[in-house]
C-alpha cells in the first residue's frame, strides 16, 4: 500500500511472515460508516417489502434484526465450538440468527443486513491480506446468508433458506481459499480440494446441528410465532 493508503490501514505480518494489513482508527471509522449505510438500506427495504410505515412494526423489525446480529456476534466470537488455525470456526447457531433476518423480512433486507453483519465481523478483527480478500471473506461470504429471504414465504422456507445461505457462504469461502490461500494447501494437494475440505470442516458440523434443531416441531412452531409477532401490523 502507498503512504496515503496507510491512513486507513498499515502493513504487518502474520505468524508465517506473510504481509497483512490492519485497519487504523480512520479505517475502522470508515468501515463503521459503511455499516451505517447498509443498516439504512435495510431499513428502507423493511418499509418497502413490508408495505407498512407503522412505527411499531418497523421498531419490532429493527429490534429483532439488531438482536439477531448481536447474538450472531456473541455466539461466533465468544462461544465458538472450535476454531481452525487458518480462520473459520464452528459456532453455536451464529449463522441461524442472520438467516432468520432474511427469512422474516425478505431477501433485500436480509442481504443488506447480512452484509452489515459481515462488516461487523471484519471490524472486530480488522486484519486482512488484500482488499479483494477482505470483500470475499466478509461482506460477500456473510452476505450470502441473506439469500435465505428467497424462501421467506415458502413451505419449510427457513430450512431451505438456511441451506441456501450456508451453501452461499461456503462457495465464497472456497473461492477465497483457492484464490488467496492456495499456498497453504499441503504439497501435492490441489488448492480447490484443500479449500473444499477445509471450509467444510467448520461449516458442515454447524449446519448439520442447526438443521436438526430446526426440524424439531417445538422449534418450528416457536419460530412461526416469532414471525407472526414481528412482521404483523
Amino acid at each position: 500500500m502507498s503512504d496515503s493508503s496507510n491512513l486507513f490501514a498499515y502493513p504487518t505480518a502474520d505468524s508465517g511472515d506473510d504481509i497483512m494489513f490492519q485497519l487504523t482508527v480512520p479505517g475502522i471509522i470508515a468501515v463503521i460508516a459503511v455499516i451505517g449505510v447498509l443498516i439504512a438500506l435495510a431499513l428502507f427495504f423493511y418499509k418497502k417489502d413490508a408495505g407498512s410505515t407503522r412505527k411499531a412494526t418497523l421498531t419490532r423489525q429493527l429490534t429483532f434484526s439488531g438482536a439477531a446480529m448481536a447474538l450472531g456476534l456473541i455466539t461466533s466470537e465468544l462461544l465458538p465450538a472450535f476454531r481452525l488455525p487458518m480462520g473459520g470456526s464452528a459456532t453455536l447457531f451464529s449463522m441461524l440468527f442472520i438467516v432468520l433476518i432474511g427469512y422474516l423480512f425478505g431477501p433485500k433486507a436480509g442481504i443488506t443486513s447480512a452484509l452489515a453483519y459481515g462488516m461487523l465481523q471484519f471490524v472486530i478483527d480488522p486484519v486482512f491480506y488484500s482488499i479483494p480478500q477482505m470483500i470475499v471473506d466478509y461482506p460477500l461470504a456473510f452476505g450470502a446468508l441473506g439469500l435465505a429471504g428467497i424462501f421467506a414465504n415458502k413451505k419449510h422456507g427457513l430450512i431451505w433458506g438456511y441451506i441456501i445461505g450456508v451453501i452461499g457462504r461456503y462457495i465464497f469461502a472456497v473461492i477465497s481459499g483457492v484464490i488467496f490461500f492456495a499456498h497453504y494447501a499441503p504439497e501435492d494437494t490441489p488448492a480447490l480440494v484443500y479449500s473444499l475440505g477445509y471450509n467444510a470442516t467448520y461449516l458442515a458440523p454447524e449446519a448439520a446441528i442447526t438443521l436438526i434443531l430446526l426440524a424439531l416441531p417445538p422449534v418450528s412452531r416457536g419460530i412461526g410465532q416469532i414471525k407472526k409477532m414481528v412482521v404483523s401490523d
Side-chain angles (χ1 to χ4, degrees):
M1 283 190 177
S2 65
D3 291 339
S4 60
S5 299
N6 290 344
L7 174 64
F8 297 102
Y10 60 89
T12 181
D14 66 6
S15 58
D17 293 328
D18 289 329
I19 298 299
M20 301 174 66
F21 299 92
Q22 183 160 354
L23 290 184
T24 61
V25 172
I28 291 173
I29 292 172
V31 172
I32 292 173
V34 172
I35 293 170
V37 171
L38 290 169
I39 292 174
L41 278 174
L43 175 59
F44 170 77
F45 290 132
Y46 293 154
K47 292 180 179 180
K48 184 177 179 181
D49 293 347
S52 172
T53 57
R54 289 185 58 181
K55 289 184 177 180
T57 303
L58 293 174
T59 299
R60 287 198 301 269
Q61 293 173 345
L62 286 172
T63 300
F64 180 89
S65 298
M69 284 194 280
L71 287 170
L73 287 173
I74 290 170
T75 52
S76 65
E77 296 301 318
L78 300 181
L79 300 171
F82 63 86
R83 295 184 185 275
L84 295 183
M86 294 306 303
S89 61
T91 69
L92 296 176
F93 313 114
S94 67
M95 292 188 291
L96 174 61
F97 294 117
I98 309 307
V99 163
L100 276 171
I101 300 175
Y103 171 67
L104 293 175
F105 307 127
K108 289 180 285 188
I111 290 171
T112 50
S113 297
L115 287 170
Y117 175 76
M119 297 306 291
L120 281 171
Q121 285 278 357
F122 172 57
V123 84
I124 287 174
D125 185 20
V127 177
F128 60 103
Y129 289 89
S130 67
I131 291 176
Q133 174 266 320
M134 181 275 290
I135 291 173
V136 173
D137 277 339
Y138 290 97
L140 292 184
F142 288 100
L145 296 173
L147 294 172
I150 296 171
F151 298 90
N153 298 311
K154 306 293 185 182
K155 186 177 181 181
H156 305 303
L158 181 55
I159 290 177
W160 285 112
Y162 182 84
I163 292 171
I164 292 301
V166 173
I167 289 175
R169 183 182 171 190
Y170 177 65
I171 289 172
F172 281 113
V174 169
I175 290 172
S176 175
V178 172
I179 295 176
F180 305 111
F181 302 105
H183 57 291
Y184 287 109
E187 189 175 355
D188 299 326
T189 300
L192 178 59
V193 173
Y194 176 71
S195 187
L196 286 167
Y198 182 93
N199 289 290
T201 301
Y202 64 93
L203 289 175
E206 179 177 346
I209 294 171
T210 303
L211 289 171
I212 292 171
L213 178 72
L214 293 177
L216 298 176
V219 175
S220 178
R221 288 194 296 269
I223 292 175
Q225 290 299 315
I226 290 173
K227 186 167 187 176
K228 290 179 182 179
M229 178 183 68
V230 173
V231 304
S232 65
D233 282 339

